[in-house]
């Protein structure tokens, strides 16, 4: 807990964050709450807090305790609201899997997490990336677990889970501090293979497109 608190304080001190009452921040916060409300394992018990980082890289991060940080670049990269939801679902997956608190996984019902955290072969060893002054460990096995839970979240919320695969395929392969490789894409394809694809356009909203335009029109922000 002390480590998570230290990480959080370092982010608040060093990262350029948008205000909490900012329209874009409030919008993404509502999307996250919409997803969490559908989860069957007490997702509502987590005090979810979403912050927007003034960074142009299409990325998002979670650090435990319900804290999720989404780069502005993730919103401008997403083609529609459904893709933004898919990006958020992956980060909520890390939180709900207990990747920042071992006891949370151990206290979960075994039969439930056997599927969501089930055996998925890691594609490569853990790696360490640097986010500003913060080191981050990239664990392929945990990334795959987060994808499993993200699929469950998207299904429960009525979104097309195939969107997670589509947006992952479009992500640049050199995002700092995140894991995108061919084996993750292959694993996602296998997980989604038995699920139907929706025969309709991705869900979107005028507010999301307006926020995208607003962020795109603002002055560029240097990467931290």
């Amino acid at each position: 807990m002390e480590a998570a608190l230290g990480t959080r304080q370092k982010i608040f001190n060093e990262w350029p964050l948008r205000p909490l009452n900012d329209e874009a921040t409030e919008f993404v916060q509502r999307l996250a709450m919409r997803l969490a409300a559908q989860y069957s394992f007490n997702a509502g018990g987590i005090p979810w807090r979403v912050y927007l980082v003034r960074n142009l890289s299409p990325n998002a991060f979670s650090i435990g305790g319900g804290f999720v940080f989404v780069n502005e670049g993730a919103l401008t990269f997403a083609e529609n609201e459904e893709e933004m939801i898919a990006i958020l679902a992956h980060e909520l997956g890390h939180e709900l899997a207990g990747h920042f608190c071992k006891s949370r996984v151990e206290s979960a019902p075994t039969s439930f997490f056997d599927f969501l955290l089930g055996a998925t072969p890691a594609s490569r060893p853990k790696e360490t990336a640097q986010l500003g002054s913060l080191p981050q460990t990239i664990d392929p096995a945990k990334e795959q677990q987060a994808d499993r839970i993200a699929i469950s979240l998207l299904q429960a919320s009525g979104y097309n889970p195939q969107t997670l695969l589509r947006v992952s395929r479009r992500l640049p392969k050199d995002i700092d501090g995140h894991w995108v490789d061919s084996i993750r894409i292959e694993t996602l394809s296998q997980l989604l293979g038995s699920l139907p694809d929706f025969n309709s356009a991705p869900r979107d909203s005028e507010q999301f497109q307006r926020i995208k335009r607003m962020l795109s029109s603002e002055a560029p922000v240097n990467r931290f």
Side-chain angles (χ1 to χ4, degrees):
M1 183 64 71
E2 290 182 3
L5 182 60
T7 298
R8 186 191 320 162
Q9 196 57 52
K10 202 170 184 64
I11 289 172
F12 289 158
N13 289 341
E14 297 180 8
W15 291 16
L17 304 177
R18 296 186 77 93
L20 285 178
N21 61 353
D22 173 79
E23 179 187 9
T25 302
E26 291 182 342
F27 177 76
V28 178
Q29 172 77 31
R30 287 195 298 272
L31 293 185
M33 294 301 295
R34 186 189 308 169
L35 277 172
Q38 303 299 322
Y39 202 70
S40 59
F41 184 63
N42 194 30
I46 297 177
W48 298 99
R49 284 154 290 192
V50 180
Y51 294 82
L52 284 192
V53 184
R54 302 216 65 200
N55 185 296
L56 300 179
S57 175
N59 212 345
F61 314 91
S62 48
I63 63 170
F67 283 83
V68 177
F69 296 86
V70 179
N71 286 358
E72 290 179 348
L75 277 84
T76 55
F77 175 82
E79 293 182 346
N80 47 64
E81 183 178 300
E82 191 162 280
E83 287 195 355
M84 188 65 244
I85 283 275
I87 293 170
L88 280 172
H90 177 84
E91 296 310 319
L92 267 62
H94 281 300
E95 295 279 341
L96 293 166
H99 288 162
F100 310 96
C101 178
K102 186 177 179 183
S103 61
R104 185 171 179 84
V105 175
E106 291 174 344
S107 64
T110 303
S111 60
F112 182 67
F113 273 78
D114 273 349
F115 168 70
L116 292 182
L117 306 185
T120 324
S123 66
R124 63 187 189 194
K126 296 179 183 179
E127 296 181 1
T128 300
Q130 200 70 21
L131 298 173
S133 63
L134 294 175
Q136 183 182 28
T137 299
I138 304 171
D139 185 338
K142 289 182 178 180
E143 296 296 325
Q144 292 169 359
Q145 290 173 350
D147 279 340
R148 284 176 175 267
I149 294 180
I151 290 169
S152 176
L153 287 171
L154 292 168
Q155 284 183 290
S157 303
Y159 288 94
N160 186 353
Q162 302 286 346
T163 303
L164 181 61
L165 177 58
R166 284 196 284 271
V167 73
S168 296
R169 281 176 169 156
R170 290 201 303 109
L171 284 170
K173 301 299 186 290
D174 58 348
I175 298 179
D176 292 341
H178 229 68
W179 180 58
V180 181
D181 70 8
S182 60
I183 298 183
R184 181 196 174 194
I185 298 300
E186 180 182 344
T187 302
L188 257 179
S189 299
Q190 293 171 355
L191 289 171
L192 292 164
S194 61
L195 299 179
D197 197 354
F198 291 13
N199 294 318
S200 59
R203 290 169 61 178
D204 202 2
S205 69
E206 173 53 36
Q207 185 178 16
F208 175 76
Q209 293 298 332
R210 179 165 52 79
I211 288 172
K212 271 194 65 170
R213 292 192 296 270
M214 177 187 74
L215 295 179
S216 297
S217 66
E218 292 180 352
V221 178
N222 292 330
R223 299 179 67 180
F224 51 79

